[in-house]
Amino acid sequence: MLARNAESLYWIGRYVERADDTSRILNVSVHQLLEDASVDSDHASRQLLAVLGIDSEGTESLDVWKLTELVAYAKDNPASIVGSINSARENTRGAREVVSTELWECLNATWNAVPDRQRYARRAGPHAFLSFVEERAAMFAGLADSTMSRDDGWLFMVLGRSIERADMVVRLLLSRVVADRASSPGWITVLRSAGAQDTYLRTYRGALDAGRVVQFLLRDTLFPRSVFHALRQAEECLQRLDTGGASRNNEKTEALREVGRARSELEFLRPSDLLTDLPRRLGTLQTSIKEIGEAVSMQYFSTSPWVAWSGAEVSL
């Protein structure tokens, strides 16, 4: 597969997942701000922007509507929902020969519907727009599952989705571990933002505390949005893509080494040690995920620059 097509598919997976996760997080946050008058809108909005990696310095006092404009509708912000949809669509347009017609039509129809959905959401509230994005992301995932061969293109798309998902869940947990008590109702917000509330409540029979929430979102082996599950899926994709490794000396590529290390640190961590110095642990994990993404880009997408002779000419 051409490197440009592989890179496009990788970023399609990341951008669609980013739009989906950002919609989930923003939807829950908006409901919380509208329903609870005791919440400081400006502080909560800046906290959410920090989670999403959006710079809030220099902005005036934030409320629900300004937050939604920044996170959902801002075209010039690549981390916004609309920015992610635009980027996913552009990457899909550039890789039409390796994606199915159904996938292209799904993203193109989503992109074309965004302006009308924005206008309606500004009148009726952001929930309609955010729910629309979640539904279209789910449709995209279903079409990818049912119309793409499990070849290298599929692996790059799933790899991008898995890395982005792990990163977003870690960001979400980082937003809560400093401020919330172990029994704070804010942990329900975390579960809802990750699409994990119902599954968590069935798993732990309704018992809510920080340790179990963190355990579930970081280390659960069966929940597809847990960090461990996402890293394991990314590792499987890299193992299938890495066909040139030497089996005798167990050589690993840098990307596979990084993701394997991050996954194993979660897998073999004692549950009793999970909450010990959790902010530092999450920060380290976030750095590892960033390094995984950089290693994937260097290994598969970066090309060597053209090399020209310089200095004295060589005479024969």
Side-chain angles (χ1 to χ4, degrees), residues 23-283:
S23 296
R24 292 172 182 273
I25 294 171
L26 183 60
N27 209 355
V28 173
S29 299
V30 165
H31 274 82
Q32 185 181 26
L33 291 173
L34 292 175
E35 293 171 0
D36 189 352
S38 65
V39 176
D40 184 345
S41 296
D42 183 68
H43 175 73
S45 298
R46 293 183 188 278
Q47 189 176 38
L48 176 59
L49 292 176
V51 170
L52 299 175
I54 299 174
D55 185 16
S56 62
E57 292 296 328
T59 56
E60 56 187 11
S61 181
L62 295 170
D63 56 18
V64 170
W65 314 112
K66 293 175 182 176
L67 174 67
T68 305
E69 288 290 334
L70 279 173
V71 177
Y73 307 142
K75 292 182 180 180
D76 57 346
N77 177 13
S80 72
I81 296 170
V82 171
S84 296
I85 292 173
N86 289 344
S87 297
R89 191 248 187 186
E90 286 303 307
N91 276 277
T92 307
R93 188 172 66 169
R96 283 288 289 112
E97 66 268 29
V98 292
V99 299
S100 65
T101 300
E102 290 86 351
L103 274 184
W104 162 247
E105 290 177 347
C106 175
L107 274 178
N108 194 47
T110 303
W111 180 80
N112 282 314
V114 161
D116 287 338
R117 294 285 179 164
Q118 281 183 247
R119 284 191 290 269
Y120 177 75
R122 286 191 173 101
R123 297 194 308 269
H127 174 72
F129 177 81
L130 299 175
S131 297
F132 164 74
V133 174
E134 292 177 33
E135 290 167 3
R136 299 301 293 187
M139 180 183 293
F140 178 89
L143 288 171
D145 281 343
S146 60
T147 63
M148 288 187 68
S149 297
R150 284 0 184 214
D151 54 9
D152 286 358
W154 160 261
L155 292 173
F156 277 113
M157 185 179 291
V158 174
L159 175 62
R161 182 183 67 191
S162 301
I163 292 174
E164 188 69 25
R165 181 173 292 178
D167 180 59
M168 292 296 282
V169 173
V170 171
R171 288 176 182 271
L172 185 60
L173 288 172
L174 274 169
S175 71
R176 291 290 176 179
V177 295
V178 176
D180 284 355
R181 303 183 309 275
S183 58
S184 169
W187 291 105
I188 281 289
T189 302
V190 172
L191 291 170
R192 290 173 60 197
S193 299
Q197 181 182 6
D198 294 335
T199 307
Y200 171 88
L201 293 177
R202 283 193 293 269
T203 301
Y204 289 102
R205 303 180 186 276
L208 179 68
D209 67 71
R212 286 174 173 167
V213 172
V214 174
Q215 168 79 13
F216 186 76
L217 291 179
L218 278 184
R219 303 182 68 237
D220 194 90
T221 60
L222 302 180
F223 183 59
R225 289 187 173 274
S226 75
V227 175
F228 175 81
H229 193 283
L231 290 176
R232 184 172 62 182
Q233 194 167 45
E235 186 176 22
E236 291 172 356
C237 290
L238 286 170
Q239 286 173 340
R240 291 177 60 182
L241 288 167
D242 181 24
T243 57
S247 58
R248 172 169 293 183
N249 56 14
N250 202 26
E251 288 285 342
K252 303 293 183 184
T253 62
E254 186 64 23
L256 189 56
R257 185 181 299 109
E258 290 289 343
V259 74
R261 181 171 59 186
R263 188 265 309 154
S264 62
E265 286 178 356
L266 280 179
E267 184 174 9
F268 298 107
L269 180 67
R270 292 188 181 91
S272 58
D273 296 337
L274 186 60
L275 294 182
T276 303
D277 202 6
L278 184 58
R280 181 196 59 79
R281 194 182 303 279
L282 290 173

